[in-house]
């Protein structure tokens, strides 16, 4: 029953999406995030801007935050936080960070070591 440990925990996860583009001063990277329970809204991010929130997985919520990223005419939806996937992946510090760059979406649980998860 290890996979369901997040259902009964009051642990918080820090989720952060960072604009890792090297030059998007004329066209911002736009992010919009929502779950079944809440809408975090959207914002335009310039170089190195970030968007962050706290996730508190529990039995009564979807435990899932989806985000849509838009740059120029390109859009990509992704699971920014999914408790069943991230409860262990975010590590003991419960850091779930994404860095979005021109070539793809990178994940890290320490903001030092980044691994590409997928491309645009």
């Amino acid at each position: 029953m290890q996979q369901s440990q997040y259902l009964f925990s009051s642990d918080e996860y820090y989720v952060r999406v960072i604009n890792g583009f090297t030059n998007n001063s004329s066209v911002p990277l736009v992010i919009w995030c929502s779950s079944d329970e809440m809408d975090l809204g959207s914002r335009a991010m310039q170089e190195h801007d970030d968007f962050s929130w706290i996730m508190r997985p529990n039995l009564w919520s979807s435990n899932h935050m989806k985000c849509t990223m838009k740059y120029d005419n390109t859009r990509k939806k992704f699971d920014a936080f999914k408790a069943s996937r991230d409860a262990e992946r975010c590590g003991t510090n419960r850091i779930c960070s994404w860095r979005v760059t021109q070539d793809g979406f990178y994940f890290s649980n320490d903001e030092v070591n980044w691994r590409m998860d997928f491309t645009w």
Side-chain angles (χ1 to χ4, degrees):
M1 204 136 145
Q2 183 178 2
Q3 187 175 13
S4 63
Q5 74 186 35
Y6 66 87
L7 292 175
F8 306 104
S9 174
S10 63
D11 295 329
E12 296 179 341
Y13 291 82
Y14 177 70
V15 184
R16 183 176 183 211
V17 180
I18 303 164
N19 180 350
F21 275 63
T22 54
N23 183 10
N24 73 314
S25 57
S26 61
V27 179
L29 181 64
V30 178
I31 183 171
W32 172 65
C33 299
S34 66
S35 70
D36 290 343
E37 295 79 31
M38 70 179 117
D39 186 339
L40 299 178
S42 65
R43 65 178 58 175
M45 300 191 312
Q46 296 298 329
E47 297 164 31
H48 310 294
D49 283 352
D50 69 289
F51 185 39
S52 60
W53 62 93
I54 300 292
M55 291 294 294
R56 294 176 184 90
N58 63 64
L59 187 59
W60 302 275
S61 70
S62 67
N63 302 308
H64 189 187
M65 185 66 68
K66 296 167 256 178
C67 294
T68 300
M69 303 296 297
K70 180 182 178 289
Y71 179 72
D72 206 11
N73 292 322
T74 305
R75 287 180 190 260
K76 180 76 171 185
K77 286 186 176 187
F78 75 105
D79 297 325
F81 182 82
K82 189 173 183 179
S84 60
R85 174 195 68 194
D86 296 329
E88 291 185 31
R89 173 166 105 145
C90 293
T92 56
N93 292 325
R94 293 176 170 75
I95 297 171
C96 314
S97 296
W98 295 93
R99 188 175 71 207
V100 182
T101 68
Q102 290 92 329
D103 64 328
F105 293 67
Y106 293 79
F107 179 84
S108 175
N109 62 13
D110 61 9
E111 295 193 359
V112 173
N113 301 296
W114 296 93
R115 186 189 90 240
M116 182 185 269
D117 253 29
F118 49 90
T119 61
W120 282 90

